[in-house]
Amino acid sequence: MKGEIFVEFVNMVEERFGLDLADRTLEHGELATKRVYTSVGDYDHEELVSLVSALSIETGLTCTDLMHRFGKFLFARLALGHNECIHGYDNVFDLFVDLEGVIHNSVQKLYPNAELPSIEVRVIDETTIEVKYYSKRGFADLCHGLADGCIHFFQEPINVERLACSDNDQTSCTLFLSKVEWIV
Amino acid sequence: MTRTKHPDGGSNFAMLERRFKRERAARKAAEKLLEEKSQELYIARLDAEVSLDAMLNAIESLRDGFAIVDLDFCIVRSNSAFNEILERCTGSSVVKQNLLVTLTEICPAETDFTSHQDSILNALRHSSTYEFAGVNGIVLELSAGDVLAFGQTVILRDIVGYKREEERKSAARKSQALGSLAGGIAHELATPLQFIGDNLTFVRDSFATLNSVFDHLSEEFCDSCDRMQLLSDVFVRYDIDYIRSELPAALDAAAKGSSQISKVISAMRFYTEQNKGEREPVDIEMLLKSIVTLSRNKWVYACSFEVRCELENTIVNVIADGLTQVFLNLILNSAEAIGSMDSNLTRHQHKIQIVIRRVSDDLIIVFEDTGPGIGESNIDKVFDPFFTMKLDGESMGQGLSVSSSIINDDHNGHLSVSRSVLGGARFEIRIPGSFDY
C-alpha cells in the first residue's frame, strides 16, 4: 500500500485527536516498520489495519467509524495533493464513472506497483449510480468514507446508501449514490 | 530567575523526542528510496537511449520516407529518405517545415490546389492514404498513422522510384538466374565444340591429303589410256570432281560457324563472370563486345555494327552488371528503331556505332545510329519512367529510365541524349572516376 495513505492517516490522527494520541497510537504494539512512514514508500496494508485498531483502543471509537472518517479525510487530502487527477470534473457521478478507466489508469502509470481496488460503476438513472467495490485487502469502510469525502468535496446533495455486507465482509460492498433535493 | 518544571513537561519532551526520531527515520528512508529510484531512472534512461538509437537506425534504414509530425503538421523528425523525396520536389531543405504546406506546394501548376490540400488534410486527419502527382514526374503516396498525443507518423513513398527499384531488382534477379543458366550452358557446349573444331581441322587436313592422292593417281595413270579411262569413270560415277571443289568450301563454312559459336560461348562466359553488383575493374572493350555478340540476332538483320575503342588501357572501374544492362538497352533500342524504319537503305548502309574514349578521368561511351532519332517533343521525356515511343504493350518504357538510374545514381555519372550526325539518336555515357582503382 502506498506510503501516502499511511502519512495521511498519521496526519488525520494528529489533526483530529492531537499529537499525544497520535504518538500513543503509533507506539501501540509491535509493527514491522516501527511506524516510520514516507509518502514515497510502500507498506503492508495490514499495518493500516493495526494502526486503526490501536486508534480504536486509544479513542474508544469503532474501527468502522475510524476507517470511514479516514476515508473522508483522505479524499480531501488526495484532491488537494493530486488535483491533476480530478481537474476537469465538477460532479460526483462523472468522477465515479471515470474512476476505473481514467483515474485508476493514471495512477497505475505513476505507480506501476500500486494494487488498486476494483470499482464497478453502473448508472441506474440520472439521479442514481451503483458503485461496487472489491478488494482482497478489505477496506470497504474506507471506500464508503472516500465516497462521502467526494460528495463533501463537490458540495452536492447526494445520499449514500450502503448495502449491508454479510459477516461484516470488508472485501466488497455496494453503495447506492442518489441525488436528493435540498431541503430549505 | 528560577526554572520550574511543567507538570507534563517530561512526558511531552519524551513524546516529541519519539516523534523527532520517527521523522528522522522517515527522512532517511525517503532518501534511500530516492537514491534507489534515481538509480532506476538512470538505468531506465540508458535503456531508453539505446532503444531510441535502435529505433532511429531502423527508421533511417527504411527505403520509404518516414516522419513524425506534430499536431500542427510540422515535421519534428524525419529520415533521410523522407528528406530526399521532398528535397527532390522542392529543391530545398524541408527539415522542420510544415508538411501540409510543403506537400501542397509540390504539385504541378495545373493542379486544383484547394482540392489537393483538402485531400492531404483528410489523409492526415483520418489516418488514411492519398496518392498524388508531384513535380518532375514524381508520384507520391502519403500514408498517415493514428493521431496520438505527440502528433502522428507519416510514410511517404515515391511510387515511381519504388516501382523502378522493384523493376531493377526483378531484372537483376532474372539476369542473375539467366547468367547462371547461360554460364552452365556455355560450359557444357565448350567441350563438344572443341571436338567439332579439332575434327574439322582433321577432316580438312585429311581431305587435302586425299586430294594429293587423287592428283598423284592422275599423274601416275596419265601414261595409260585404259587406267586413265578407269580413273575418269570412277571420278564421274562418284562425282569426285564436284566433291573436290565443294568440300573445302563446306568445311570452311563449318569451321566459320564453329568459330562463331565459340565466340558466342566466350562472350556468354565473360558476361556471366562479370555479373556482379559492385564497382570493380573490368575490361570495358571486352564487356561491350560480348554484349554486341550476344545481341547479334537482334541487330544483324537490320544494320552493321562498329565498335571503336580509343582507350590505351581498357580496364575501368565500373559496375559491370549495370553497364551490361545499359549497353543491351541502348543496342536493342537502336536496332529496333532502325528495323522499324521504312527506309531505302540496305542493311549494310544502316549502322550502330559505339566509340569508347577517355576524357580526363571520365570514361565516355557514345552510342550512335542511323535510325529515325528522337523528335524534339520527346527528347526531354525519354528518361522518364514508363515513357515509350513504341506501340502500346510493346514496351514497358523502363529501359532508358533504368539505364539513366544506373549511370546517374549508381555510377554518379551522366547519361544524355541528342541528335546524331549519323541521322539517328546519340546517347552519351559519362562515368567519372572510372580510372581510379
Side-chain angles (χ1 to χ4, degrees), chain B residues 177-189 265 268-269 271-273:
Chain B
L178 280 174
S180 301
L181 191 65
I185 292 170
H187 179 75
E188 291 299 320
L189 288 179
I265 289 172
M268 279 168 74
R269 294 180 87 163
Y271 168 77
T272 54
E273 281 165 13

Side-chain angles (χ1 to χ4, degrees), chain A:
Chain A
M1 196 171 216
K2 299 310 296 178
E4 191 173 7
I5 307 296
F6 289 82
V7 170
E8 290 304 342
F9 179 79
V10 175
N11 284 340
M12 182 199 76
V13 179
E14 285 182 348
E15 277 185 28
R16 301 285 158 85
F17 301 100
L19 293 177
D20 188 41
L21 198 135
D23 180 57
R24 289 209 303 275
T25 303
L26 289 168
E27 292 299 317
H28 194 96
E30 281 293 323
L31 289 175
T33 54
K34 301 187 188 306
R35 302 149 191 101
V36 172
Y37 303 110
T38 77
S39 59
V40 288
D42 285 294
Y43 308 94
D44 190 342
H45 71 281
E46 290 291 347
E47 284 201 22
L48 186 64
V49 177
S50 300
L51 286 170
V52 172
S53 299
L55 183 61
S56 173
I57 293 164
E58 293 293 335
T59 59
L61 296 169
T62 63
C63 288
T64 296
D65 184 20
L66 288 170
M67 204 59 106
H68 180 266
R69 285 181 191 217
F70 175 50
K72 211 169 165 183
F73 177 88
L74 183 62
F75 187 91
R77 300 297 292 234
L78 291 177
L80 197 66
H82 299 279
N83 188 256
E84 72 281 356
C85 286
I86 59 166
H87 179 73
Y89 293 97
D90 61 0
N91 67 81
V92 175
F93 283 12
D94 284 351
L95 183 72
F96 265 91
V97 167
D98 282 354
L99 198 58
E100 187 81 358
V102 179
I103 296 173
H104 276 186
N105 275 354
S106 302
V107 175
Q108 203 79 59
K109 281 180 199 168
L110 283 172
Y111 307 107
N113 298 329
E115 291 182 25
L116 300 168
S118 160
I119 303 286
E120 199 178 303
V121 179
R122 185 169 67 94
V123 178
I124 294 171
D125 57 37
E126 285 182 1
T127 59
T128 309
I129 60 170
E130 180 191 49
V131 179
K132 283 187 174 174
Y133 160 90
Y134 172 77
S135 169
K136 61 183 179 185
R137 290 172 172 165
F139 287 118
D141 292 330
L142 185 67
C143 172
H144 188 171
L146 282 165
D148 280 335
C150 179
I151 291 163
H152 183 73
F153 180 83
F154 286 109
Q155 292 289 302
E156 282 190 271
I158 292 175
N159 182 44
V160 179
E161 187 188 343
R162 181 172 169 181
L163 224 61
C165 303
S166 59
D167 301 329
N168 196 27
D169 176 19
Q170 286 289 311
T171 58
S172 63
C173 74
T174 303
L175 305 175
F176 288 95
L177 277 63
S178 307
K179 290 180 181 173
V180 293
E181 295 291 329
W182 285 114
I183 299 168
V184 183

Side-chain angles (χ1 to χ4, degrees), chain B residues 141-340:
Chain B
E141 183 187 81
L142 170 76
S143 300
D146 291 338
V147 181
L148 303 170
F150 63 84
Q152 64 191 131
T153 57
V154 172
I155 292 173
L156 201 58
R157 174 175 288 180
D158 171 5
I159 291 180
V160 174
Y162 191 84
K163 282 183 180 167
R164 190 162 49 192
E165 187 65 21
E166 287 299 309
E167 291 273 349
R168 282 184 58 184
K169 280 187 176 172
S170 171
R173 281 194 294 270
K174 280 181 191 167
S175 173
Q176 198 174 21
L178 280 174
S180 301
L181 191 65
I185 292 170
H187 179 75
E188 291 299 320
L189 288 179
T191 308
L193 195 67
Q194 184 70 37
F195 297 159
I196 294 170
D198 291 349
N199 286 322
L200 277 173
T201 305
F202 171 73
V203 171
R204 195 155 49 183
D205 292 348
S206 302
F207 183 69
T209 306
L210 280 176
N211 256 345
S212 300
V213 171
F214 287 135
D215 290 341
H216 183 74
L217 283 175
S218 297
E219 282 173 19
E220 288 291 324
F221 292 172
C222 68
D223 294 341
S224 166
C225 287
D226 292 344
R227 283 194 288 183
M228 195 64 196
Q229 185 58 48
L230 186 66
L231 190 64
S232 179
D233 289 346
V234 170
F235 270 44
V236 171
R237 187 185 303 164
Y238 295 102
D239 225 356
I240 298 296
D241 285 337
Y242 177 76
I243 291 170
R244 288 182 71 189
S245 69
E246 291 299 321
L247 193 60
L251 288 172
D252 282 347
K256 200 174 167 188
S258 168
S259 169
Q260 182 64 27
I261 294 170
S262 183
K263 276 185 191 170
V264 170
I265 289 172
S266 295
M268 279 168 74
R269 294 180 87 163
F270 183 78
Y271 168 77
T272 54
E273 281 165 13
Q274 305 305 318
N275 201 7
K276 292 174 185 166
E278 297 159 9
R279 209 163 161 155
E280 58 186 2
V282 61
D283 187 326
I284 193 68
E285 188 181 12
M286 276 191 71
L287 180 69
L288 184 54
K289 284 183 173 173
S290 72
I291 302 305
V292 172
T293 303
L294 288 175
S295 61
R296 187 172 179 275
N297 72 318
K298 294 288 183 185
W299 54 261
V300 72
Y301 303 111
C303 60
S304 59
F305 219 106
E306 181 189 343
V307 176
R308 197 166 73 238
C309 181
E310 298 174 358
L311 299 178
E312 286 179 16
N313 176 11
T314 56
I315 306 298
V316 293
N317 193 23
V318 293
I319 303 169
D321 190 25
L323 280 195
T324 298
Q325 210 173 337
V326 176
F327 294 163
L328 206 53
N329 284 335
L330 294 177
I331 291 170
L332 296 186
N333 277 356
S334 289
E336 284 170 15
I338 293 169
S340 68

